[in-house]
């Protein structure tokens, strides 16, 4: 397949002069290559080096002429993500802290499947430095909004984590720091790059985008399904977390812009490929959203949406006044939903001993002194690889 034979990459905004190299789509690379007077096939070669081999410098592109490599990196620099700290939890979950070219700290989490037979390895990916949405129960919110991550910084998390793990993640979930749909253009660009057959060739069925409820973003993602390479949208997860607007307004300010009814309408409009379901995440907050009345309202809200519900016991961090409900309450809540025909699971906290569980990601630059590049701090809390491998 040549670059020219591919469908138009997308109607994404043009990357502009000096845009980071690993964020360029095949058609954009092809345009640069042609303008540089080189044959068009160089675009495919370069793309394969960036997203298949995931080279760290242009000098590793050994079948590309040195002058072209040099011109390329002058025009479009690579912005490396440096592994800063790797923490391993007792359950084998690993939290990876990266440092960006401008010294920001972000985190990804590698989560091996508890059921080793399935051999699944999930990577939880960040989309922003910090987050703008201010959900009251989330540690990332306490950082405030730093900046959007570029598409290059998003895909780089996956490529570097693959190298660290020694294997490719089977599933990607955009459930790390940030709100992916607030950074829509870079998210979509990253999805196109990750799904491209010249690169990592991830199936959209293996990718889940989680949102706190940006309805405009959900609709854009739905419309973009033909753009992201393989003709379907990624899986959608929605952090619902309440059954009334009164409570949701209080714990998730975004609800004032798009209340529950508008959010669920967007979920109903979202195109699902065969057998797919929308995942609803529901953080269990004791005395806030965990009552029998909540459990009894939820099935009605989800009616007509092929869906499953993940109950996430609240993971604590310093600051807010929430409590995790007792295990018994969570089980009762689950049972009531189940009795009403809802597919509902309790998500066991993974990596909570290293603050790697849902809602605990808050890479703070002051947690440790900046590390010189290449000087990797490994904090072992438990054995790695976990004894199960
Ligand atoms: N901004 C996106 C992506 C982050 S996903 C979103 O909100 O979906 C992070 C998930 O963890 C969300 O479902 C969120 O509701 C949940 N979460 C946030 N803080 C949490 C905490 N302290 N304990 C458990 N889950 C939490």
């Amino acid at each position: 397949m040549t670059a020219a034979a591919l469908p138009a990459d997308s109607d994404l905004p043009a990357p502009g002069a000096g845009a980071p190299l690993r964020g360029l789509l095949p058609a954009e690379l092809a345009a640069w290559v042609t303008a540089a007077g080189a044959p068009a096939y160089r675009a495919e070669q370069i793309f394969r080096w960036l997203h298949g081999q995931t080279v760290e410098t242009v000098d590793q592109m050994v079948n590309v002429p040195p002058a072209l490599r040099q011109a390329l990196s002058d025009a479009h620099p690579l912005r490396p993500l440096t592994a800063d700290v790797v923490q391993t939890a007792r359950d084998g979950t690993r939290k990876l802290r990266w440092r960006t070219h401008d010294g920001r700290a972000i985190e990804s989490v590698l989560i091996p499947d508890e059921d080793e037979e399935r051999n699944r390895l999930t990577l939880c990916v960040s989309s922003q430095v910090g987050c703008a949405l201010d959900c009251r129960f989330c540690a990332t919110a306490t950082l405030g909004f730093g900046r959007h991550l570029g598409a290059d910084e998003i895909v780089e998390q996956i490529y570097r984590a693959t190298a660290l793990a020694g294997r490719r993640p089977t599933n990607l979930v955009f459930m790390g720091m940030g709100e992916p749909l607030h950074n829509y253009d870079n998210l979509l660009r990253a999805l196109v790059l990750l799904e491209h057959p010249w690169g990592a060739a991830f199936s959209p069925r293996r990718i889940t985008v989680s949102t706190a409820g940006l309805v405009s973003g959900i609709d854009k993602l739905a419309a973009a399904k033909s753009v992201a390479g393989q003709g379907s949208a990624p899986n959608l997860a929605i952090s619902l977390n309440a059954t009334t607007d009164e409570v949701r307004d209080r714990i998730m300010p975004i609800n004032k812009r798009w209340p529950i009814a508008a959010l669920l309408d967007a979920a109903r409009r979202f195109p699902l490929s065969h057998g797919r379901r929308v995942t609803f995440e529901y953080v269990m907050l004791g005395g806030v959203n965990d009552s029998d009345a909540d459990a009894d309202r939820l099935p009605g809200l989800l009616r007509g949406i092929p869906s499953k519900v993940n109950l996430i016991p609240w993971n604590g961090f310093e600051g807010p006044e929430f409590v995790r409900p007792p295990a018994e309450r969570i089980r009762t809540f689950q049972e009531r939903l189940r009795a009403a025909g809802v597919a509902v699971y309790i998500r066991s906290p993974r990596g909570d001993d290293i603050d790697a569980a849902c809602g605990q990601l808050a890479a703070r630059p002051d947690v440790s002194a900046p590390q010189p590049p290449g000087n990797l701090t490994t904090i072992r809390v438990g054995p790695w690889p976990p004894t199960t491998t």
Side-chain angles (χ1 to χ4, degrees), residues 86-90 94 353-354 377-386:
V86 177
Q87 282 175 278
T88 306
R90 275 187 288 276
R94 283 194 288 181
D353 52 333
I354 56 166
T377 310
T378 302
I379 303 170
R380 282 189 185 280
V381 179
W384 185 266

Side-chain angles (χ1 to χ4, degrees), residues 124-125 127-128 131 133 135-141 173-181 209-214 237-241 248 252 280-285 310-317 320 322 324 347 349 357-361:
C124 181
V125 180
S127 55
Q128 297 176 320
C131 188
L133 295 193
C135 300
R136 301 286 185 244
F137 46 82
C138 178
T140 306
V173 296
F174 285 83
M175 298 183 184
M177 298 167 72
E179 166 53 45
L181 296 182
V209 173
S210 181
T211 179
L214 272 72
I238 293 179
S239 300
L240 185 59
N241 298 344
R248 201 166 190 271
M252 300 180 76
F280 287 95
E281 294 145 295
Y282 196 96
V283 185
M284 300 289 295
L285 304 167
N310 279 341
L311 303 178
I312 314 176
W314 183 66
N315 294 305
F317 57 94
F322 296 108
R324 179 188 289 192
R347 197 191 278 170
C358 294
Q360 293 186 315
L361 299 186

Side-chain angles (χ1 to χ4, degrees), residues 208 308 328:
T208 300
K308 67 172 172 183
E328 197 41 47

